[in-house]
Amino acid sequence: MFCSVWKIKEFPELSTSELYEILKVRQEVFVVEQTCHYLDADGRDEAAIHIWCKTEGKISAYCRIFPPGLKYEEASIGRVLTHPDFRGKNLGRSLLQIALDAIETRFGAAGIRISAQDYLLKFYSEFGFVDTGHKYLEDDIPHTEMYKRGN
């Protein structure tokens, strides 16, 4: 694993500098790199559990997870990213496995539902997510709703 120290924190546990770094990397990837002009700070961070690692002083991988009943009826994973400087090192795979383990440990969820960018459908399917057939544009990027049964 490229990143050896992963952090998992609820919103009140985040320091000001951690929150700043999280918002910064999300804007770098989702707003600037993907040229999506939207409000990233969507009011859901307070209810999320944040998972990330740092490499060479930067957040290199990040996502947030939600318990069942907040975003969907099922638990959910969102804002999944790998910093451009650290792609190709399997951080995304490590991140997703840690997120799935955290959902199981914290929520014992019966299922997980995500909104996946279409170019990542194969990636998510490798973790047991299946295409629900619900396809849509979100911020002008093709997305598909995917579902994974709980363990």
Side-chain angles (χ1 to χ4, degrees):
M1 187 183 319
F2 186 70
C3 182
S4 59
V5 177
W6 290 86
K7 295 189 178 189
I8 302 175
K9 292 188 177 186
E10 293 182 20
F11 188 82
E13 299 172 314
L14 295 172
S15 71
T16 305
S17 61
E18 288 170 334
L19 179 59
Y20 177 82
E21 289 181 81
I22 287 168
L23 294 174
K24 181 179 183 283
V25 73
R26 286 183 359 196
Q27 289 174 41
E28 286 173 7
V29 171
F30 299 121
V31 178
V32 176
E33 181 182 2
Q34 296 182 355
T35 61
C36 291
H37 304 286
Y38 74 103
L39 184 61
D40 175 59
D42 60 0
R44 291 187 168 154
D45 286 312
E46 295 88 344
I49 294 173
H50 303 267
I51 301 171
W52 76 96
C53 71
K54 287 177 81 169
T55 307
E56 298 172 12
K58 299 181 202 177
I59 291 181
S60 49
Y62 168 85
C63 75
R64 62 185 187 177
I65 62 174
F66 295 96
L70 279 179
K71 247 187 123 173
Y72 300 105
E73 183 178 318
E74 303 85 2
S76 182
I77 304 169
R79 298 290 201 267
V80 179
L81 68 83
T82 301
H83 189 285
D85 292 349
F86 303 101
R87 292 187 183 142
K89 301 180 186 320
N90 289 319
L91 278 173
R93 289 188 186 329
S94 298
L95 173 66
L96 197 60
Q97 189 58 60
I98 289 166
L100 293 172
D101 292 346
I103 286 172
E104 177 65 29
T105 301
R106 291 176 181 245
F107 313 136
I112 303 168
R113 192 168 301 270
I114 62 172
S115 174
Q117 292 185 5
D118 283 0
Y119 80 96
L120 291 168
L121 294 177
K122 183 180 181 302
F123 170 76
Y124 288 115
S125 69
E126 292 171 10
F127 288 89
F129 285 91
V130 295
D131 184 333
T132 65
H134 182 192
K135 300 186 179 295
Y136 49 94
L137 282 179
E138 185 174 311
D139 304 311
D140 291 325
I141 297 175
H143 281 69
T144 299
E145 185 180 271
M146 297 186 85
Y147 177 77
K148 176 181 171 36
R149 285 188 195 273
N151 295 335

